[in-house]
Amino acid sequence: MSDAKNTTPSVVTDPADFNEVLEKLNLIDEKIEFVNSEIAQRIGKKLGRDIGIMYGAIAGILIFLIYISLSPILI
């Protein structure tokens, strides 16, 4: 009785069926990786746009401040 409790259950499957299931799992894994990469690319584009807007605003503010500070000298 103690041998039945301590043994690990094992399943025998046909190698062809096993390979078929592995191929299906590989296709599913490829699709998941593709979707994840597309999501990461969209996030990267949004982040890049936001950083570009920030740099543009900072450059515009600096140019404006330089213009304001130099305008009394030029007049």
Side-chain angles (χ1 to χ4, degrees), residues 10-67:
S10 63
V11 178
V12 178
T13 60
D14 185 32
D17 290 340
F18 183 74
N19 290 334
E20 182 181 338
V21 169
L22 278 180
E23 288 176 12
K24 288 181 181 179
L25 287 174
N26 285 337
L27 287 174
I28 291 170
D29 187 41
E30 288 176 10
K31 290 179 183 179
I32 290 171
E33 287 180 10
F34 178 75
V35 169
N36 284 339
S37 65
E38 289 291 322
I39 291 171
Q41 185 176 6
R42 286 184 185 178
I43 291 171
K45 284 183 178 180
K46 288 179 184 178
L47 184 64
R49 183 199 66 212
D50 294 342
I51 290 173
I53 290 170
M54 182 186 68
Y55 278 137
I58 290 172
I61 290 170
L62 287 175
I63 290 171
F64 178 73
L65 291 175
I66 291 170
Y67 175 75

